Amino acid sequence: MSASSSDVAEGNIWYLLGLLTGGLVLGFGVMNLPYSFGRTGPKGNCFNCEQAVTGFSAIDNITTLPAADYSIGMVVAGLLMLVALNAGAWRRTGGY
């Protein structure tokens, strides 16, 4: 009985570390999403600075910025980590 309880405790520590890591990865990815899309131009990526000039047709000028390379990947990786950990916890507890 004591051997199984130490295995459970060790499994809970890894689950907790994975949960924290997945949450941090997802959080950093979501926080960087606003910097992933915008306009590259003479004033950099200040999309709102020239909105008066471009008007409602500015949607054509939106592109992905360099932050999109890692922020979208971080969102996907964080979600996959959290879903996998939830599926493992669901299997270990037998549902509820």
Side-chain angles (χ1 to χ4, degrees):
M1 188 69 139
S2 64
S4 64
S5 66
S6 67
D7 291 341
V8 170
E10 184 177 333
N12 287 340
I13 291 172
W14 284 111
Y15 175 75
L16 179 63
L17 289 176
L19 192 65
L20 289 172
T21 304
L24 284 173
V25 169
L26 178 64
F28 280 124
V30 168
M31 291 300 293
N32 284 315
L33 279 178
Y35 305 107
S36 300
F37 303 99
R39 178 177 184 272
T40 56
K43 292 186 179 180
N45 57 6
C46 183
F47 184 67
N48 292 329
C49 295
E50 297 182 13
Q51 188 174 6
V53 176
T54 56
F56 289 110
S57 64
I59 195 77
D60 298 336
N61 298 331
I62 294 177
T63 61
T64 57
L65 299 175
D69 294 339
Y70 63 88
S71 64
I72 296 172
M74 288 178 79
V75 169
V76 170
L79 283 175
L80 288 175
M81 288 173 69
L82 293 176
V83 166
L85 287 169
N86 188 28
W90 188 266
R91 267 186 261 122
R92 275 195 327 227
T93 60
Y96 282 107

